Amino acid sequence: SGATLWGGRDGRIDMPCDRRSSVPGDLSRRGWELTEAGDADAALACHREATGLPGAGGRTWFHRARSEQRFGHDAAARSSFGRSLAASLPPAEAKEAHFQLGKLQRDAGLLAEAEASYRAVLAIDPLLAGAHILLGVVLRELGRLEESVEAYGEGLRLNPSVAAAHYNRGQALLSLRRPAEAADGFRAALRADSAFSLAQEALGGALLDLGDADGAAEALSAALRQRPEEARLHHSLGKAHYLRGRRQEAAAAHAAALALDPSFAYAHNDLGNVLSDMPGREAEAHHHYAEAVRLAPQLAEAHSNLGTALKGLGRHAEAAASYSAAIRLKPHLCEAHKNLGAALTELGRPRDAVASFATALDINPQFWPALYDLLDGQQFLCDWRGREARLRELERHLDEWHSRGRLGAGPTERLHAGLAPFHTLVWPVSDKTRRRVALSRARRDVEAAEAAPLVPP
């Protein structure tokens, strides 16, 4: 990137590579002429002769390496760049040699060597933005994400117009679970290149992580206008619509994904999630969950969701088998343990059910629906072990939840879906807690009724 290859009065000589010259520079210049003309065999023959002559120095090896690189002889080019750097090279050529060697090393998967090459470039020229950016690429591929973000940042400070660098830095930030900063990076990429649809897609994903479903839908829709045949984008848009509470639009987006790719297991699973929330669509939800399991038998969430669909259809033994399959695949999937307990309750196995609820709480002590079911199961079995402590923890949690204005937050709030007023009638909790639970359920039911479509009499 910028090194001068040749000097001389006219930059050209008329001499074949027939060993009639013993001057390495003459043969090397002729080799580059042939390189420019696209004659690979003759060019590389000249460069080999040049580097085989006495007095061949770093520049001669450097020119050979560039020619080998031009014609795709990457392993030979790596060797020749190394030979050039082992000899004496002027700073401009040394910087270029390290830079090109770093690219070749990364392409070959030699990431540690590529890192060393880019750091050598920066030791010569610390203001070269491209070297900082490519160092960021290598560090990300090495899994050193914090260093990668820092290297990208320095490169972008020197040259903020590189859209791909903003995008790659954003991806590194996503891997570090810093979605807000990642979203800022993707926005910067779009300011540098408004047509960068991958950045639009990534911005949508980051905004989904942040819970900004409206912003995610806007970004993903923009990406879809450029790439309407990409199933993954329709699927992501479906997830955004689902979070917005727009079930019909979510179902349409997932269906569009499946029209483009019928084998898209995640789209089947998520379409099942949407349909399971829509009255009268339970059989369709079951179909899509079953397809997800068939297409991706390793997807634990699909097995768990299939279990829930089967349970809703009254097929409790099959539901329990699906939950058990999910747990084998992902032992810490606490919802599967909780739901397995519910299926076992229906099958008349209350002790096994209580054990499943307890396991769910061992995995996540804040998973309150499992606590409700555990308290119910203990009540049925007259098992009072640990009950008082659990009730006090439940009251503490409900007080905190109420103080944050979240109890009764509407039909889209699912955390307390399993908590009903009748629970508190058999639990020794305070009257204040009973009133709060009853008010929460009443508000949920009223809002759900208001949101439901009107059915003619």
Side-chain angles (χ1 to χ4, degrees):
S1 58
T4 301
L5 289 175
W6 308 117
R9 287 174 294 177
D10 60 7
R12 291 184 61 84
I13 58 172
D14 293 315
M15 185 189 72
C17 288
D18 59 3
R19 302 186 182 220
R20 287 183 291 180
S21 173
S22 60
V23 180
D26 291 345
L27 289 172
S28 193
R29 278 190 292 274
R30 180 59 177 157
W32 191 253
E33 280 188 353
L34 292 164
T35 299
E36 297 267 273
D39 190 341
D41 291 340
L44 294 174
C46 276
H47 285 301
R48 283 192 291 269
E49 286 190 35
T51 53
L53 292 172
R59 273 190 160 183
T60 305
W61 280 103
F62 173 74
H63 299 144
R64 172 175 168 172
R66 290 305 304 271
S67 185
E68 290 167 335
Q69 184 181 22
R70 172 78 68 89
F71 293 119
H73 297 266
D74 289 357
R78 291 198 306 271
S79 175
S80 295
F81 277 127
R83 295 285 293 270
S84 75
L85 288 164
S88 177
L89 270 180
E93 279 86 352
K95 179 176 76 172
E96 183 74 2
H98 282 297
F99 190 89
Q100 299 299 335
L101 181 56
K103 289 167 65 176
L104 290 165
Q105 288 165 332
R106 177 181 171 255
D107 288 345
L110 303 170
L111 299 179
E113 292 86 345
E115 178 192 355
S117 292
Y118 289 128
R119 292 196 186 279
V121 173
L122 293 169
I124 299 169
D125 182 359
L127 301 180
L128 186 61
H132 285 286
I133 289 168
L134 289 173
L135 177 60
V137 172
V138 169
L139 290 169
R140 182 179 166 212
E141 291 172 345
L142 285 167
R144 291 155 56 188
L145 298 175
E146 293 283 3
E147 295 174 75
S148 173
V149 167
E150 184 178 343
Y152 279 127
E154 182 61 19
L156 289 166
R157 184 186 68 79
L158 294 165
N159 183 2
S161 67
V162 185
H166 286 291
Y167 172 81
N168 289 332
R169 182 172 181 270
Q171 292 288 3
L173 287 163
L174 273 185
S175 297
L176 288 167
R177 300 185 179 181
R178 291 156 61 180
E181 295 170 78
D184 289 340
F186 298 136
R187 291 189 186 98
L190 289 165
R191 286 193 294 273
D193 179 0
S194 60
F196 194 173
S197 67
L198 286 175
Q200 289 281 15
E201 178 185 2
L203 175 59
L207 293 174
L208 276 177
D209 287 347
L210 291 167
D212 181 0
D214 290 335
E218 181 181 354
L220 292 164
S221 296
L224 265 172
R225 285 193 288 273
Q226 295 185 61
R227 292 148 58 203
E229 300 303 312
E230 195 156 319
R232 184 180 72 240
L233 283 174
H234 290 279
H235 173 239
S236 296
L237 181 60
K239 292 196 290 186
H241 285 318
Y242 184 74
L243 287 178
R244 299 169 79 197
R246 300 191 177 185
R247 302 294 189 258
Q248 295 290 349
E249 293 172 66
H254 290 313
L258 290 170
L260 291 165
D261 181 3
S263 65
F264 194 169
Y266 287 92
H268 279 290
N269 182 68
D270 290 346
L271 179 54
N273 289 340
V274 176
L275 295 171
S276 68
D277 284 352
M278 300 170 74
R281 310 283 299 268
E282 294 84 2
E284 294 173 77
H286 169 265
H287 164 75
H288 286 288
Y289 288 140
E291 278 296 285
V293 167
R294 182 182 68 82
L295 292 163
Q298 78 289 351
L299 183 58
E301 288 79 4
H303 285 279
S304 183
N305 290 335
L306 177 59
T308 300
L310 290 164
K311 181 173 175 289
L313 294 170
R315 295 158 62 179
H316 301 295
E318 293 171 79
S322 288
Y323 293 133
S324 297
I327 290 165
R328 284 194 297 273
L329 290 164
K330 188 179 282 190
H332 286 81
L333 188 60
C334 61
E335 283 200 16
H337 286 282
K338 183 264 184 195
N339 290 332
L340 175 59
L344 293 171
T345 298
E346 297 291 342
L347 291 169
R349 296 167 57 186
R351 293 191 185 280
D352 293 333
V354 164
S356 290
F357 299 140
T359 300
L361 283 171
D362 287 341
I363 295 168
N364 179 6
Q366 306 299 309
F367 188 37
W368 305 111
L371 179 57
Y372 313 151
D373 287 343
L374 177 59
L375 289 168
D376 264 357
Q378 287 186 308
Q379 181 88 17
F380 179 83
L381 293 170
C382 298
D383 178 359
W384 315 121
R385 291 171 297 175
R387 182 176 175 79
E388 287 299 321
R390 290 188 181 110
L391 286 167
R392 298 288 79 77
E393 177 64 14
L394 175 63
E395 286 204 89
R396 184 201 62 74
H397 163 68
L398 291 174
D399 285 343
E400 178 187 343
W401 200 251
H402 187 272
S403 69
R404 289 160 55 192
R406 299 297 296 277
L407 262 176
T412 60
E413 176 51 65
R414 300 171 65 88
L415 182 62
H416 293 286
L419 183 59
F422 76 83
H423 287 116
T424 63
L425 297 178
V426 295
W427 294 343
V429 294
S430 67
D431 288 340
K432 178 178 69 173
T433 295
R434 290 190 177 96
R435 284 194 296 271
R436 285 179 174 173
V437 171
L439 180 60
S440 166
R441 179 51 66 98
R443 286 175 176 166
R444 289 172 57 85
D445 290 347
V446 167
E447 293 184 17
E450 290 174 343
L454 291 176
V455 179

